Amino acid sequence: MKLSKGIQYMLLSTFLFACMNVLVKLVSNIPAVEVVFFRSIISLIISYTILKSKKINIWGNNKPLLIARGAAGAIGLVLYFMIIQQIPLATAVTLQFLAPIVTAILGMLILKEKVKGWQWLFFLLSFGGILVVNGFDARVEPLHLLMGIMAALGAGMAYTIIRKLNTTEHPLVIVMYFPLVTVPITGTYSALHWQMPQGIEWLTLLGIGVLTQFAQFYLTKSFQQEEINKVASLKYLNILYALFFGYVFFEETFNLYTYLGMLLVVAGVILNIWYKQRTTKEAEESQKARVKKTA
């Protein structure tokens, strides 16, 4: 079976993000804001170099939306890095799975997309799963839950804006606005709370920047090639990577109830995507039937 370009890009992006998660957790002694600062510097250099070499306008066409995308992504990433450093890897990734739900809700508010009654039930299923994870894993506190929801909100807003920009901006322009917004903010904070990296930590920070840059680029390409509801479910491979990498590198294990909570989160999101695909297909078939009838 030949995979579409959008699916290929999402598969590659998911694996790169999973590897990045491991590196972020390996430098848990360095503040998350500082890690984002290093990541942003590297992203800015790579994006600018490629855009200049291709003679693409680095400032883009819709600056307000590009800046908003950068700000939303910055908030989401800082909070996400913080929970990766503070709680088990798979749990942090599970919290981030709320992003597609937030994206669907924002799509309703901003893009005027419809959210059906069944979708709200699936949303509640996922949020119920988060509460189960929080209630049966002593390593996860209510503050972590709030941080995860806010991180998902930032990511969801960023994804929604990407969709609005998908026909007007080059993917690297969209990616570059993240460090353009983030570098001055995280740089100022880091200067006041500097934690000097030691030895191999410098290479780890470099790896985080490079992996995130390419993961974000292919994620953006995927969203521009396909509708989000057709590729978003592939991101849930990340839970398998997180469970495996968390066990291998950090000896993380979970009780049965925590696994159940993770399953509820993933089930709610996947059911929402399946339902949206089905209703979209039915609407398209109904439209074709009406056109054929009036022809």
Side-chain angles (χ1 to χ4, degrees), residues 6-7 9-18 21 80 93-101 103 151-152 154-156 158-159 162 215-216 218-220 222-223 228-242 266 269-270 273:
I7 291 176
Y9 290 145
M10 182 60 77
L11 288 172
L12 180 55
S13 172
T14 300
F15 178 73
L16 294 176
F17 272 126
N21 291 340
Y80 182 48
V93 171
T94 301
L95 289 174
Q96 191 68 357
F97 283 172
L98 293 175
I101 292 179
T103 302
Y159 297 156
I162 287 173
Q216 187 64 52
Y218 286 115
L219 176 69
T220 302
S222 177
F223 285 166
I228 288 181
N229 59 17
K230 291 183 179 180
V231 294
S233 60
L234 296 174
K235 294 184 66 179
Y236 305 111
L237 291 172
N238 224 327
I239 188 65
L240 300 179
Y241 290 131
V266 177
V269 177
I270 291 178
I273 293 171

Side-chain angles (χ1 to χ4, degrees), residues 103-162:
T103 302
I105 296 173
L106 290 173
M108 176 188 68
L109 298 175
I110 299 174
L111 304 179
K112 307 304 180 183
E113 296 176 344
K114 293 182 178 180
V115 175
K116 305 289 187 179
W118 277 104
Q119 288 180 272
W120 290 110
L121 178 62
F122 301 147
F123 295 165
L124 289 174
L125 182 64
S126 289
F127 278 106
I130 292 296
L131 294 178
V132 171
V133 170
N134 181 66
F136 289 95
D137 192 338
R139 297 166 294 185
V140 182
E141 300 178 0
L143 178 60
H144 296 133
L145 178 61
L146 178 61
M147 290 166 60
I149 293 174
M150 293 303 296
L153 178 61
M157 179 62 76
Y159 297 156
T160 302
I161 295 173
I162 287 173

Side-chain angles (χ1 to χ4, degrees), residues 56-116:
I56 297 172
N57 176 21
I58 63 173
W59 302 113
N61 302 304
N62 193 329
K63 294 180 181 63
L65 272 184
L66 286 165
I67 292 172
R69 179 265 179 270
I75 294 170
L77 191 62
V78 168
L79 290 171
Y80 182 48
F81 278 12
M82 289 176 69
I83 60 175
I84 284 178
Q85 292 180 335
Q86 296 177 21
I87 64 177
L89 186 59
T91 309
V93 171
T94 301
L95 289 174
Q96 191 68 357
F97 283 172
L98 293 175
I101 292 179
V102 176
T103 302
I105 296 173
L106 290 173
M108 176 188 68
L109 298 175
I110 299 174
L111 304 179
K112 307 304 180 183
E113 296 176 344
K114 293 182 178 180
V115 175
K116 305 289 187 179

Side-chain angles (χ1 to χ4, degrees), residues 168-181:
T168 62
E169 307 293 346
H170 189 280
L172 272 176
V173 173
I174 298 174
V175 170
M176 196 184 76
Y177 264 81
F178 172 85
L180 279 177
V181 173

Side-chain angles (χ1 to χ4, degrees), residues 44-60 170-177:
L44 183 61
I45 294 171
I46 294 175
S47 297
Y48 180 80
T49 301
I50 296 176
L51 286 169
K52 290 297 288 185
S53 68
K54 293 180 178 292
K55 297 182 179 180
I56 297 172
N57 176 21
I58 63 173
W59 302 113
H170 189 280
L172 272 176
V173 173
I174 298 174
V175 170
M176 196 184 76
Y177 264 81

